[in-house]
Amino acid sequence: MSPRVILASQSPRRQELLKHIYKYFEIVPSNASEDIAEADPARLVERLSEIKAKEVFNRVQDEADMVPEMTGMKRLSRMFKASKLADTDDLMVIGADTIVVLDGEILGKPRDEEDAVNMLKRLQGREHEVYTGVTVICNAGNTEFSKAGTQKVMKNDVRTDGEMMAAGISSLADDSETKNISNNDHRAGSVGVYGCTDIIVEEIAGTSVRRITFHEKTTVHIAAMSDEEIKKYVETGNPLDKAGSYGIQTVFTKYVSGIEGDYNNVVGLPVARLYAELKMFKSV
């Protein structure tokens, strides 16, 4: 049986993309602070996706106290919820975050139209990178997880990331006392073109959970744009809620001369990679 799936994002683009994997899911936008000091783009999006997923997972544990209008949860009808969601104890929360990087500088959402214009002037005629980090948290419930070997990493482990990687252990920053991480030996060929991400076992809000956190990077090439073209695009209002001040799936697509990597990653959710990772949870 499929788990109860919650998307920790109010992005309509991520909602549409997740529908390619799950027909039924709920939406609970995260209230977590995104003020994180991290210069490395890959680590930043992974950490942001993780804190978003963890905040929502914590909050839905006591769902009786939730007020949909305050949390942003789009509840399904009582009949639909009873027939599709209430018959499972398995809970899965998916968090994601996307950033644009130009010359090593992280470009977030524009503050206003002027900021959007300035960002697009920098991006036009050049290539840049788009990173999306994804975290999936699932409680043990009755789900049958992959039977990979595990190693325990104590919170006070003093080994460097390089030493841990050499030992076949993945290092991710978190506040758990311990975490079990699946051995890398099972990765090759297990899910098609993607290698599996290690499953981390930890405790959140008193519940034993399994977590995976990963990122994807796509290189985007933008054609030369005139000041007038930039001005007209910004006036549509489309760039104001998007990292880097553009949406590749909008009218802006005519300025995208090419990409290297996953198109959906630029939209906001690397569907193929996420689907491959979810196979480890036996949930698709």
Side-chain angles (χ1 to χ4, degrees):
M1 178 181 293
S2 296
R4 175 187 176 192
V5 179
I6 293 177
L7 176 62
S9 172
Q10 61 185 355
S11 165
R13 297 169 293 280
R14 291 196 181 106
Q15 294 169 28
E16 287 302 313
L17 289 172
L18 188 58
K19 289 178 182 178
H20 295 302
I21 300 178
Y22 291 110
K23 185 175 181 180
Y24 307 114
F25 60 89
E26 296 173 79
I27 300 163
V28 183
S30 171
N31 294 331
S33 170
E34 299 183 26
D35 186 16
I36 294 180
E38 175 59 68
D40 181 78
R43 291 179 64 86
L44 176 62
V45 291
E46 287 190 357
R47 290 180 63 188
L48 286 171
S49 72
E50 183 181 337
I51 64 171
K52 289 179 179 180
K54 284 184 173 180
E55 190 278 329
V56 170
F57 190 93
N58 279 326
R59 192 149 37 100
V60 299
Q61 292 305 295
D62 192 10
E63 188 175 301
D65 293 337
M66 295 182 67
V67 180
E69 291 74 19
M70 294 179 64
T71 63
M73 173 182 282
K74 295 183 179 178
R75 290 196 178 278
L76 307 176
S77 69
R78 183 174 303 175
M79 180 182 299
F80 176 80
K81 182 176 176 62
S83 63
K84 299 296 183 183
L85 298 174
D87 293 334
T88 176
D89 292 327
D90 293 351
L91 171 64
M92 177 179 289
V93 176
I94 301 172
D97 192 82
T98 301
I99 60 172
V100 170
V101 179
L102 177 67
D103 296 333
E105 180 183 349
I106 297 172
L107 305 181
K109 297 176 183 178
R111 296 184 299 273
D112 49 35
E113 289 190 357
E114 181 180 359
D115 194 29
V117 167
N118 291 334
M119 280 191 193
L120 291 172
K121 284 184 176 180
R122 296 179 59 190
L123 292 173
Q124 65 87 25
R126 303 187 58 190
E127 68 177 53
H128 61 273
E129 295 77 42
V130 177
Y131 291 79
T132 295
V134 180
T135 290
V136 181
I137 297 174
C138 190
N139 64 351
N142 297 317
T143 302
E144 179 185 358
F145 295 95
S146 300
K147 302 299 189 295
T150 62
Q151 297 184 31
K152 179 173 286 189
V153 182
M154 302 304 295
K155 185 177 181 181
N156 61 355
D157 196 322
V158 296
R159 285 176 290 179
T160 66
D161 285 351
E163 291 171 334
M164 294 175 73
M165 290 178 66
I169 300 173
S170 172
S171 175
L172 284 174
D174 60 51
D175 296 325
S176 303
E177 289 300 321
T178 63
K179 54 187 178 183
N180 293 331
I181 304 177
S182 57
N183 192 291
N184 293 332
D185 293 342
H186 72 285
R187 288 184 175 189
S190 58
V191 284
V193 298
Y194 292 108
C196 295
T197 299
D198 292 326
I199 296 177
I200 297 176
V201 179
E202 58 190 354
E203 188 171 290
I204 301 177
T207 301
S208 178
V209 303
R210 282 150 171 87
R211 170 174 63 83
I212 55 174
T213 299
F214 62 89
H215 75 275
E216 281 289 306
K217 180 180 79 170
T218 303
T219 300
V220 181
H221 300 262
I222 305 298
M225 299 175 65
S226 68
D227 289 350
E228 183 63 22
E229 287 174 322
I230 291 175
K231 179 174 179 291
K232 285 184 178 179
Y233 177 63
V234 172
E235 286 176 347
T236 66
N238 185 269
L240 299 181
D241 66 338
K242 297 174 180 63
S245 301
Y246 75 90
I248 195 171
Q249 76 284 1
T250 68
V251 294
F252 189 83
T253 191
K254 62 189 175 187
Y255 301 117
V256 179
S257 58
I259 67 170
E260 299 162 24
D262 186 347
Y263 170 86
N264 289 326
N265 187 58
V266 184
V267 179
L269 192 68
V271 177
R273 174 72 183 273
L274 176 58
Y275 181 71
E277 299 289 353
L278 287 171
K279 289 182 179 180
M280 294 184 70
F281 285 107
K282 308 294 185 183
S283 296
V284 290

